[in-house]
Amino acid sequence: MDKHNFNSLKSESSFERMKKQNKRLVGIICAIIAAILWGLGTPFGKIASENYDSIALASIVSLVGSLSLFLISFVTYKQLPRIRLKSIWLYVGMGILGFAIPSTMTLLAYRLTLAINVSFLLRVQVFLVLLYGMIFFHEKINLRQLFGLVLGFLGVFLFVTNLHLEVNLGDLVVLGSTIFWASYLIFSKKLLKEGMDPITLGSMRFGIASIPLILISLTFNLYSPFSFRQVIALLIYTFAIFVIGTTLYNVAIKHLEIWKASAIAEFLSIISSGISVWLILGEVLTLLKIIGGILIITGVLLAIKP
């Protein structure tokens, strides 16, 4: 090999390495911004859900999210989303199981418990993703991940019960919603691997979810007037968490290993939500809830690393 060819190969290798580093940097930045936005949206979910039906509210969130991302997708790619018929079950699962049901449950939980409780307990979906992988995809769980699961569920016990026998109904609703939220990561990862871009993915997810939610809301006359305060809160909640936040997270898991993107997003979202809930709603945690929260976050960080 002559000197010219050697230098050419070396230059190409450096370029590819720099390209990979740039992609990783984009993934890290997207995960950080997504986490901040998720935390920011938490108190506004509580404000938006005050005295409003959770199904009707979820239908509005999904419709606004779908239309917003559809317009962004169309302007960006100059074409309508392409639907693969062989993946229709992924679209439906992502929309119904991954958004329609859990978003309704989460918005209901905001009315029944503290916003900070919702934020912490939603982290349980990380543990469920591990269990889903083991059950449906025969993935193995190592000892560190198992220890993380144990720590996490111990933290949930302390957080929910506060060492008393009474359990808040809202906390149980949040925990129930994580069963469905966790399924979204499974559906979305498959569709991203098939080449679907993150913006179209979000648009399809919200669009499919909006159909049954709107039909139910219209059938049972669930819609009612909003206050101006609720409108502003709903828009911030929808765009911060779902339209922008989730889209950026999808970009992050496309450029990073999913456990790294999750570690950044899950850890920082707890911090940002704790700060925003304290500043906007004045909510604070008891000592036992702080201990439980620390156990949950530690469990999450241990569980998501392969």
Side-chain angles (χ1 to χ4, degrees):
M1 181 182 295
D2 58 36
K3 187 176 180 180
H4 175 74
N5 289 336
F6 176 77
N7 289 336
S8 177
L9 288 173
K10 187 176 180 181
S11 176
E12 287 179 9
S13 176
S14 299
F15 176 76
E16 288 298 322
R17 187 162 56 248
M18 186 181 300
K19 192 175 178 181
K20 286 182 180 179
Q21 289 175 346
N22 287 339
K23 284 184 177 181
R24 289 174 63 84
L25 180 60
V26 168
I28 292 170
I29 292 172
C30 286
I32 291 172
I33 297 175
I36 294 171
L37 290 173
W38 286 348
L40 176 65
T42 299
F44 292 100
K46 176 90 173 168
I47 295 170
S49 62
E50 291 174 353
N51 303 314
Y52 207 90
D53 185 85
S54 55
I55 297 176
L57 200 59
S59 72
I60 297 171
V61 170
S62 59
L63 182 61
V64 172
S66 177
L67 292 176
S68 301
L69 289 176
F70 175 80
L71 288 174
I72 295 171
S73 177
F74 185 74
V75 169
T76 303
Y77 303 107
K78 310 297 184 193
Q79 63 181 17
L80 296 175
R82 295 179 181 178
I83 299 175
R84 297 183 180 182
L85 292 178
K86 67 176 183 178
S87 300
I88 195 69
W89 70 275
L90 291 174
Y91 300 136
V92 174
M94 178 179 64
I96 305 301
L97 298 179
F99 191 78
I101 296 174
S103 63
T104 301
M105 295 177 72
T106 302
L107 288 166
L108 174 61
Y110 274 121
R111 294 167 54 188
L112 301 174
T113 189
L114 296 175
I116 192 64
N117 285 24
V118 175
S119 180
F120 267 95
L121 295 177
L122 282 176
R123 308 281 79 78
V124 171
Q125 62 185 289
V126 172
F127 307 128
L128 295 178
V129 168
L130 275 181
L131 295 177
Y132 287 171
M134 184 176 65
I135 295 170
F136 298 110
F137 302 107
H138 307 291
E139 296 176 353
K140 294 182 179 179
I141 296 178
N142 59 40
L143 287 176
R144 185 185 61 254
Q145 291 173 315
L146 184 61
F147 183 60
L149 284 172
V150 173
L151 273 185
F153 285 118
L154 176 60
V156 169
F157 174 77
L158 287 176
F159 204 95
V160 171
T161 65
N162 215 23
L163 292 183
H164 294 96
L165 295 178
E166 298 89 1
V167 178
N168 185 287
L169 177 60
D171 293 343
L172 294 180
V173 173
V174 180
L175 291 174
S177 75
T178 61
I179 296 172
F180 299 98
W181 282 126
S183 68
Y184 167 67
L185 286 177
I186 297 171
F187 294 122
S188 63
K189 192 67 176 177
K190 282 183 171 292
L191 288 169
L192 287 170
K193 282 184 177 179
E194 290 182 3
M196 179 175 280
D197 66 276
I199 299 174
T200 303
L201 180 79
S203 177
M204 294 288 294
R205 178 194 186 193
F206 299 139
I208 292 171
S210 69
I211 297 172
L213 291 172
I214 291 173
L215 288 175
I216 293 171
S217 299
L218 290 173
T219 301
F220 294 97
N221 196 26
L222 301 178
Y223 293 114
S224 59
F226 276 107
S227 67
F228 178 75
R229 181 171 179 261
Q230 282 180 306
V231 171
I232 298 301
L234 181 61
L235 288 174
I236 295 174
Y237 174 72
T238 302
F239 280 89
I241 293 183
F242 300 112
V243 177
I244 303 175
T246 302
T247 300
L248 289 175
Y249 180 70
N250 286 336
V251 173
I253 63 176
K254 195 171 184 177
H255 294 309
L256 292 174
E257 296 92 330
I258 191 169
W259 72 267
K260 287 185 179 179
S262 297
I264 296 169
E266 296 292 342
F267 179 70
L268 292 181
S269 66
I270 283 294
I271 297 174
S272 61
S273 64
I275 294 172
S276 61
V277 164
W278 173 61
L279 290 174
I280 296 171
L281 300 178
E283 293 181 2
V284 293
L285 295 174
T286 64
L287 178 60
L288 279 177
K289 285 186 180 292
I290 291 174
I291 295 171
I294 292 172
L295 290 176
I296 292 172
I297 296 304
T298 303
V300 166
L301 295 177
L302 290 172
I304 57 183
K305 186 173 181 180

